[in-house]
Structures are given as C-alpha cells and as structure tokens.
Amino acid sequence: MLNTKDILETINMIREEHLDVRTITMGISLLDCQTGDNKETCRKIYDKITKRAEKLVETGCNIEKEYGIPIINKRVSVTPVSLVGGSRSADDYVEIAKTLDKAAETVGVNFLGGFSALVHKGITANDKCMLESIPEALSQTSKVCSSVNVGTTRSGINMDAVKICGENIKKLAYLTKDDQSIGCAKFVVFANVPEDNPFMAGAFHGVGEPETVINVGVSGPGVVRSAVERAGECDFSALADVIKKTAFKVTRMGQLVAGVASERLGVPFGIVDLSLAPTPAVGDSVAHILEAMGLESCGAPGTTAALAMLNDAVKKGGSMASSHVGGLSGAFIPVSEDQGMIDAVTRGSLTIEKLEAMTCVCSVGLDMIAIPGDTSAETISGIIADEAAIGMINNKTTAVRLIPAYGKNIGDSIEFGGLLGYAPIIPVNNYSCKKFIERGGRIPAPIHSYKN
C-alpha cells in the first residue's frame, strides 16, 4: 500500500537525485525479413520496424506525463543483422544499415541496435561480409549501433574476430574523424553477450526472444549515492543493506513502467535491466558512489572492492523487485558518461589498467574510453582480447568500447555532448602485441566450461 512518505521519497529521487528510466527498448525479430533480393529484404525490414514500433515513442512520452517518471530514451533493437542478411556483399550490408537508420528516424527513436554478428566460435562467409561493412555502415548512419560477440565461456575467444574488430575500430575513428571519431561510440565488442540487453550500443534482439518484446533499463546512481551519504559511517554489512533497499525502489519503478508499456503496446514484457547507468550530469555518477563509501578518488586502493560490493548489492536488491531481471544488470563504468570517472582520469587516480581490474566485478567492461588516435589496431585488439579473457574465465559479460580519437593525444579531450559526454585522452601501454594478435585461431575455452 502506498503511503505519503514513499510518494514524497520518489518525487525527491526524481527531482533531486536524477532518478529515471534510462530506456524503453522494443526488440523486434527480423528473421522473417530475409529474402533472396537485398532491396526486397530492406523493404521488409523497414516496413516491419515502422509498423511494430509506430507507437513506441508516443507511448513512452504518455507514460512520462501520466506518472511523472522521466524516460530518457526510446529505442529499438533487432535480430543480429548477420542472421538476416543472407548471402550478401559488404555493400549490401551498408544498404541494410541505411534502411535501419531510416526506420529509426521514421519511428522517432534515438538509437537502433542490432547491426551485429555472433562470431565467438567462427566466422561464416556471410559474417565476414557483415564485419567488413561495419566501418562504412556506422560512418554513413547516425542512429544505427553495432556489436560483435567474439568469445564465450563455452567456446573460448575467436582471435580472428578480435583482430578484425581492432582494425574496424581504427577505420571507424578515421571515417568519423571530423566528428570526434564518434562512430566508435556506436560499436562495442562483447564476450558472453546477453540477448536481452536494452542498453546501446550493445542491444540486439536474440534468436530465443519472442516476435516482439519490451525491455526496460533503469538507472539511479544519484539515488544510491545520496543513500550512501545518508548512511554515514556504518559498517559494510549495514551499507550493503542500504544499497539493496535503494536498488529495490529504483527497480520497482522500472517494473511499473515496463508493465504499463507492455500492456499499452500489446507487446510481451521481457526484462528489467537494473544497471546503474551514469550520465555526465553532476551527481549522477557511479564514481561518486564509490567515493561516498570513503575513497578519496575513484581509482584509489579499495576501488575494486567497493565496486564489487556495490554491484552485488544492486543485483540482490533489484532481483527482489522484478519478476524478470536480465540484460547486463549492475554498475556501468563508462568514462565519458560519468563526471566522477572523468575527474578521476583527469587527476591521474584512474588508469586504463585500474579500469580493467574494475571490469572483473562490474556489469560490462572498458566503456567509452578515449585513447590516443595513433594507437595501433593490434594494441586495440590486445585490449579487446584481455577483456574477453576476463569475461570467458569469470563466466560474465565483458565488453570494449574504445575511441581512438583521430588526431588527439594525451592532454587532449573529445566532446560528444548529451548522454555520451566528453572524455580526456587516457594513456595506453604501447608495447607491441602485434605478433600475439597475428597468431589468429581460437583461444580454447577454460576447463570449468565443460559441464552440462
């Protein structure tokens, strides 16, 4: 039963602590759009997306007004395009990307995810064409996001795909050099990718999903930070309970929005992703939560332990608040999108090596990190391989979204604006891993993967 205290507390969370639903994402299957003719396939893709998602944005806006809950993004994810394109050339895939971009523009969403390939165990001829098309496709579209899954705990890491992804990131940085290399911000490389993630750039509609589905991603770093500050100098057991109770309240709001959106759109409810997704806004930072726990600066000794506790408490509290939790769920640490992370990198307390350590215990991986523009493709591939190894060995999702900012070096910064924020260029270890990456093949799965 609702009481006045709960209502006022929620209003304060929204007004003062940046509480919001970060995204409503409609997943749409495109498996029935495949034909022998690329123009016909594009037509069917456009027609299906614009029909299914016709009222998505309108519905999200109406829920915002009625319930007073900010819903920041309305998005679409589709079946991985490599499964839909059939036997295509790279040029055909670029045309499909342009069709997706046009459909996203028509329905009014800010991003569309699913220009994706799952190549964790091998690359088909079709996958190869799709991977080859990614730099051109993302540089010629504004709303399309792409992801590639290069490893899983069960299959190991496909190092051939890792090499291609490193090369693609370099090409994307060059092709979008006049716009802060922003194409790289729309491309993410995964290990153990989830099929129901509502967050970009990694969202796609998995093959085990229904025809259409609604997934919701909540946020709330500012709410958790305020709760930690109010808790004072309690011990970690008490602090974990505070975070769990706060995560429960945040997730209940997401569950409410998901249920209402599902009912009004006539689409099944999928999952609530209960991730703490920061923004560049002051007070909406995961780094500031860690500092509220007692760290002088994010990146100081103890940071990984603090993040591990935060991530676990968020999942425990959120899991009690929703009938279906999925996606990534935990704490995001994207540098450019988190003012506290930006400040920590600027003052030198947070390095890429420390960020890599933190990815062992958080939701995703090295996210929205700007590196020098002259960083080699092999070095980027090596960073991807390191993150994929963390995911493979720990049976968790990891990802890499790096921006080698063309023409920029240490001391410079890049500015994206909006939720993507800005980022200082972070130093990278440039000792060569070229011979390692050129070995190719597949890093075998760990021994603990052989259970059935």
Side-chain angles (χ1 to χ4, degrees):
M1 183 176 177
L2 291 175
N3 59 50
T4 303
K5 181 182 176 182
D6 289 336
I7 294 170
L8 292 174
E9 183 180 37
T10 302
I11 291 171
N12 185 64
M13 286 178 177
I14 292 170
R15 287 183 175 176
E16 306 295 334
E17 299 170 355
H18 305 282
L19 177 61
D20 58 52
V21 169
R22 187 54 47 86
T23 180
I24 293 180
T25 302
M26 177 180 283
I28 302 172
S29 173
L30 299 183
L31 290 174
D32 58 347
C33 296
Q34 183 175 342
T35 71
D37 178 76
N38 199 58
K39 287 185 178 180
E40 178 64 11
T41 297
C42 288
R43 184 192 65 78
K44 293 184 74 173
I45 287 172
Y46 178 83
D47 288 347
K48 186 163 189 182
I49 293 171
T50 53
K51 182 179 179 181
R52 295 279 179 166
E54 180 183 12
K55 296 183 179 180
L56 174 64
V57 173
E58 177 188 348
T59 300
C61 291
N62 288 339
I63 293 172
E64 277 187 279
K65 292 174 184 176
E66 290 178 37
Y67 290 87
I69 299 170
I71 301 173
I72 306 302
N73 300 297
K74 294 85 178 175
R75 296 165 169 172
V76 167
S77 64
V78 298
T79 306
V81 167
S82 66
L83 304 179
V84 179
S87 299
R88 310 291 183 200
S89 66
D91 288 342
D92 286 340
Y93 277 108
V94 172
E95 289 306 311
I96 291 174
K98 290 179 179 178
T99 300
L100 294 172
D101 204 48
K102 182 181 176 183
E105 187 70 40
T106 300
V107 299
V109 295
N110 66 325
F111 284 119
L112 184 150
F115 196 75
S116 307
L118 310 177
V119 291
H120 41 274
K121 201 169 183 181
I123 303 173
T124 66
N126 193 47
D127 290 329
K128 189 173 182 180
C129 290
M130 190 268 164
L131 293 175
E132 184 184 331
S133 76
I134 289 174
E136 289 290 339
L138 296 191
S139 65
Q140 295 184 36
T141 58
S142 60
K143 296 178 180 289
V144 173
C145 293
S146 177
S147 60
V148 177
N149 193 60
V150 298
T152 67
T153 299
R154 291 297 296 261
S155 66
I157 303 170
N158 183 349
M159 291 300 291
D160 295 323
V162 168
K163 182 175 185 292
I164 292 170
C165 288
E167 293 166 349
N168 277 349
I169 290 171
K170 283 290 288 185
K171 291 175 186 174
L172 259 174
Y174 175 76
L175 290 173
T176 57
K177 65 182 187 297
D178 294 332
D179 194 13
Q180 305 287 322
S181 297
I182 196 170
C184 300
K186 301 189 295 172
F187 179 62
V188 58
V189 185
F190 276 106
N192 289 321
V193 67
E195 297 191 351
D196 54 5
N197 166 29
F199 287 102
M200 300 297 166
F204 67 84
H205 188 68
V207 294
E209 295 287 310
E211 182 73 14
T212 313
V213 71
I214 286 291
N215 296 321
V216 167
V218 298
S219 184
V223 177
V224 175
R225 177 189 55 79
S226 295
V228 170
E229 290 175 345
R230 287 194 299 270
E233 296 182 2
C234 60
D235 67 18
F236 283 111
S237 296
L239 189 60
D241 283 340
V242 168
I243 296 170
K244 284 190 290 184
K245 291 173 182 177
T246 306
F248 178 89
K249 294 172 185 176
V250 170
T251 307
R252 287 302 290 173
M253 185 185 73
Q255 175 79 14
L256 168 66
V257 170
V260 173
S262 171
E263 181 180 353
R264 294 186 182 181
L265 290 166
V267 172
F269 159 58
I271 57 94
V272 174
D273 186 317
L274 47 92
S275 296
L276 295 179
T279 73
V282 175
D284 200 25
S285 162
V286 170
H288 289 159
I289 300 173
L290 306 180
E291 290 165 1
M293 292 182 187
L295 301 172
E296 181 179 4
S297 177
C298 182
T303 296
T304 305
L307 183 59
M309 193 204 77
L310 171 65
N311 210 54
D312 180 66
V314 166
K315 289 183 177 182
K316 285 174 178 172
S319 294
M320 291 293 292
S322 175
S323 53
H324 298 287
V325 170
L328 298 165
S329 289
F332 286 3
I333 53 171
V335 172
S336 80
E337 299 172 18
D338 186 311
Q339 186 61 51
M341 296 286 177
I342 294 168
D343 293 341
V345 169
T346 301
R347 69 173 69 101
S349 67
L350 189 59
T351 65
I352 196 167
E353 288 79 14
K354 184 59 176 179
L355 282 162
E356 182 181 302
M358 293 164 68
T359 65
C360 297
V361 300
C362 74
S363 283
V364 195
L366 297 172
D367 195 18
M368 289 301 291
I369 297 173
I371 60 177
D374 61 359
T375 305
S376 70
E378 293 83 10
T379 296
I380 294 170
S381 293
I383 294 170
I384 293 170
D386 286 343
E387 273 303 303
I390 290 171
M392 174 184 71
I393 294 297
N394 292 292
N395 197 23
K396 71 182 290 292
T397 300
T398 52
V400 171
R401 189 163 46 147
L402 296 178
I403 299 99
Y406 191 86
K408 303 279 188 177
N409 215 321
I410 298 165
D412 298 328
S413 63
I414 53 174
E415 178 82 42
F416 296 121
L419 285 177
L420 295 179
Y422 72 97
I425 308 300
I426 196 167
V428 172
N429 187 328
N430 280 316
Y431 281 94
S432 177
C433 61
K434 189 173 189 294
K435 291 183 178 179
F436 176 78
I437 296 300
E438 287 181 345
R439 285 180 180 273
R442 185 153 53 97
I443 293 179
I447 187 65
H448 63 258
S449 70
Y450 301 119
K451 52 187 178 182
N452 200 1

